[in-house]
Amino acid sequence: MADQFTLYGSFLSGPTYKVGLMLALTGQPYAYRHVDLSKAEQKSPEFLKLNRFGQVPVLVHERATQGSLPLVQSCAIIEYLADLSGRFGGKDAAERQQAREWLHWDVDRLMPWMNRARFYARFVKPDPAVVEHARKAAATGLDMLESLLEGRTFLLESGPSIADIGLFSSVVHAAEAEFDLDEYPNIQAWWKRIAALPGFKLPYELLPKS
Ligand SMILES: N[C@@H](CCC(=O)N[C@@H](CS)C(=O)NCC(=O)O)C(=O)O
């Protein structure tokens, strides 16, 4: 039996999209299982056996000879897939390190604030000061990405990588978070280059809703 993959996730989830996009861009077939976060399925005893943190995504790698391996934490998962496929991992150790730095920066300074801004715009309405705080932090992250993309085609010099896949999954829901990417021309141009990669799909085209 060849290796097989099953992605557990939610179509609303940026981290699930990150892993789905990596699978799509590497042309890796996979099965998909929707996890209904509104029913707290990610906290069920069966799901906690796959992910001790009680979150999506999980990618289960059914290895041909070594058995089943549940992988968690989207950045760690795409790095695992880069190693396995030999794709999108950077051309050498220095570039891999840079890719990791981008991914860590994203989960520190961009992704959580974009997610909160989107969550407040779409799902809950907290105190306006809380919304303002999240929006300002997200805007600071977008401003930094915009300026660091100046003169670059992709985040690593050698071409598209897990750094782009990671950061893109944080930016992709910008409109739902009520950010206008017309104000970020470098991000817009980078978006178009990523969207032109073979296998690319946007979240709602890539991830089934049930
Ligand atoms: N750092 C994690 C974040 C995962 C995450 O935030 N998942 C959210 C959906 S986007 C989730 O499962 N939320 C439900 C919960 O935490 O109970 C990753 O990158 O995989």
Side-chain angles (χ1 to χ4, degrees):
M1 187 188 80
D3 283 19
Q4 289 181 350
F5 291 89
T6 303
L7 177 59
Y8 291 77
S10 162
F11 65 98
L12 294 168
S13 154
T16 302
Y17 175 62
K18 190 186 304 177
V19 176
L21 183 59
M22 178 71 180
L23 291 164
L25 295 180
T26 52
Q28 173 62 56
Y30 61 99
Y32 184 77
R33 301 272 179 276
H34 174 65
V35 179
D36 192 338
L37 302 180
S38 70
K39 295 186 181 147
E41 285 177 359
Q42 76 281 14
K43 307 295 187 207
S44 70
E46 305 81 64
F47 194 82
L48 289 172
K49 283 184 201 151
L50 294 178
N51 186 351
R52 57 203 175 280
F53 305 123
Q55 289 184 310
V56 293
V58 174
L59 184 68
V60 176
H61 181 189
E62 294 287 350
R63 297 169 298 176
T65 53
Q66 293 158 289
S68 174
L69 184 63
L71 306 162
V72 305
Q73 292 295 326
S74 58
C75 294
I77 299 172
I78 62 172
E79 196 172 345
Y80 178 95
L81 290 172
D83 287 336
L84 210 63
S85 65
R87 308 266 323 272
F88 300 113
K91 72 174 189 309
D92 55 21
E95 275 209 344
R96 173 59 67 87
Q97 175 59 20
Q98 277 178 28
R100 280 194 205 103
E101 290 166 4
W102 275 109
L103 293 172
H104 281 258
W105 177 78
D106 178 45
V107 296
D108 179 27
R109 290 301 160 111
L110 186 59
M111 186 261 269
W113 300 110
M114 289 297 289
N115 281 357
R116 269 166 225 169
R118 175 179 174 232
F119 193 68
Y120 300 153
R122 277 203 61 173
F123 302 112
V124 293
K125 300 284 168 212
D127 187 308
V130 172
V131 178
E132 185 57 18
H133 179 71
R135 293 195 63 76
K136 268 196 182 148
T140 303
L142 284 175
D143 288 346
M144 180 160 287
L145 180 60
E146 173 70 14
S147 70
L148 291 172
L149 276 169
E150 184 66 38
R152 289 173 196 248
T153 309
F154 292 103
L155 296 175
L156 300 185
E157 219 174 279
S158 66
S161 72
I162 49 174
D164 301 290
I165 293 167
L167 273 284
F168 186 79
S169 72
S170 298
V171 169
V172 70
H173 294 115
E176 289 185 24
E178 298 177 349
F179 283 99
D180 181 359
L181 288 187
D182 284 348
E183 292 167 22
Y184 299 90
N186 290 335
I187 294 179
Q188 256 196 350
W190 169 73
W191 176 306
K192 285 186 187 143
R193 290 189 284 271
I194 293 172
L197 295 173
F200 175 88
K201 282 186 181 169
L202 286 167
Y204 300 133
E205 298 164 352
L206 186 65
L207 302 172
K209 292 194 173 54
S210 56

